Amino acid sequence: LVPSPVDAGHRAVIFDRFRGVQDVVVGEGTHFLIPWVQKPIIFDCRSRPRNVPVITGSKDLQNVNITLRILFRPVTAQLPRIFTSIGEDYDERVLPSITTEILKSVVVSTP
């Protein structure tokens, strides 16, 4: 068995070569894993900022530059599902598309 530390503010999902991604989310501390069979995938669960710039058009056909600052963190209970469906870089895949659509709808609804 090999010790695998999980730092404060982080959580780990265990990938097992025989059983796949386990549904249990491992908290901070030292955990023992079987070498070559189990691998920890560590997620940062602290609130992190992200700036998303968007250029969109208003009702009167003018370009509007908006930058949105988001503080986000994953739901720890959903980390196995996030990892299997989206991947480790979930923030790079999900946040830009969501924020772009929300900002466009806000700009269009503003007089």
Side-chain angles (χ1 to χ4, degrees):
L1 296 178
V2 175
S4 175
V6 178
D7 295 333
H10 293 72
R11 300 290 183 267
V13 174
I14 306 298
F15 174 74
D16 192 315
R17 291 188 191 269
F18 301 118
R19 293 182 289 174
V21 177
Q22 296 180 359
D23 291 333
V24 179
V25 177
V26 178
E28 22 185 85
T30 302
H31 307 280
F32 293 97
L33 301 176
I34 302 169
W36 188 82
V37 175
Q38 294 177 329
K39 174 186 170 189
I41 294 94
I42 298 178
F43 287 91
D44 188 359
C45 291
R46 298 173 290 185
S47 291
R48 291 181 286 161
R50 180 178 173 91
N51 290 331
V52 180
V54 175
I55 300 173
T56 185
S58 63
K59 285 183 182 176
D60 55 351
L61 302 176
Q62 294 181 357
N63 284 339
V64 178
N65 294 329
I66 299 177
T67 302
L68 178 66
R69 184 171 191 256
I70 305 169
L71 289 174
F72 71 97
R73 62 185 171 87
V75 178
T76 56
Q78 297 295 321
L79 285 178
R81 185 170 166 223
I82 291 171
F83 177 69
T84 54
S85 61
I86 302 171
E88 288 183 73
D89 58 343
Y90 65 92
D91 55 338
E92 296 292 330
R93 294 184 183 194
V94 174
L95 290 178
S97 61
I98 292 174
T99 54
T100 301
E101 293 302 318
I102 296 297
L103 285 176
K104 284 182 181 181
S105 68
V106 168
V107 168
V108 168
S109 66
T110 305

